[in-house]
Amino acid sequence: GQQVMQIPQYQHVQEGEDFTTYCNSSTTLSNIQWYKQRPGGHPVFLIQLVKSGEVKKQKRLTFQFGEAKKNSSLHITATQTTDVGTYFCAGLSLNDYKLSFGAGTTVTVRA
Amino acid sequence: DGGITQSPKYLFRKEGQNVTLSCEQNLNHDAMYWYRQDPGQGLRLIYYSQIVNDFQKGDIAEGYSVSREKKESFPLTVTSAQKNPTAFYLCASQTGGPYGYTFGSGTRLTVV
């Protein structure tokens, strides 16, 4: 079955620095979604990428979908304490409606 | 306000007992999902339903059961057959299009 791998599992960032989390699928995806889960909270939808090579920005967050639609990345610039949480990518397969989640990247920020 | 309500937030049960987790949405979404989250792991799909009176097994359905008698409701029963039921359970719904899933606030189940 489809597997979505996400790296790194943990990211410790100095406030103001940039970082990137990567997501790779074993199969070609219909689309990829990104979610953020704050500590003690539930996942909140951030964005969906559908087109090959698509790039979308949300303020300091930049999301990319690979040309082959098998990988994606989330880049955060000038990290702030409000960025703390776990970021999940989730890929929708071409064949069914099931969303497969990566294990997430848990981000901590040093002030 | 529209959203998904999961209750209770915390639930404690003795081993061997069945327990039902509630999930209600007023978003008029057709599709609903149950996920399980364990520490350090992603979300794993238990069951999903695309339409009323129909549902499919996800990746880890063993030991769980669901029903979808109403569009708004998708309760999950954790049966005594589930070998490791202690986890954080998340319900989600989706309407399609570029909007992603809407998650409830979750139920943290502890079986002792």
Side-chain angles (χ1 to χ4, degrees), chain A residues 13-19 36 38 59-61 76-85 87 107-111:
Chain A
V13 188
Q14 180 72 39
E15 189 174 15
E17 290 183 342
D18 303 351
F19 76 90
K36 178 181 179 180
R38 295 184 184 275
K59 297 182 180 179
R60 296 177 295 102
L61 278 60
I76 300 182
T77 59
T79 304
Q80 300 177 358
T81 55
T82 53
D83 295 324
V84 165
Y87 294 84
V107 177
T108 55
V109 179
R110 300 189 300 272

Side-chain angles (χ1 to χ4, degrees), chain A residues 65-79:
Chain A
F65 201 10
E67 294 291 340
K69 300 185 73 173
K70 296 180 73 173
N71 58 74
S72 181
S73 65
L74 161 59
H75 181 78
I76 300 182
T77 59
T79 304

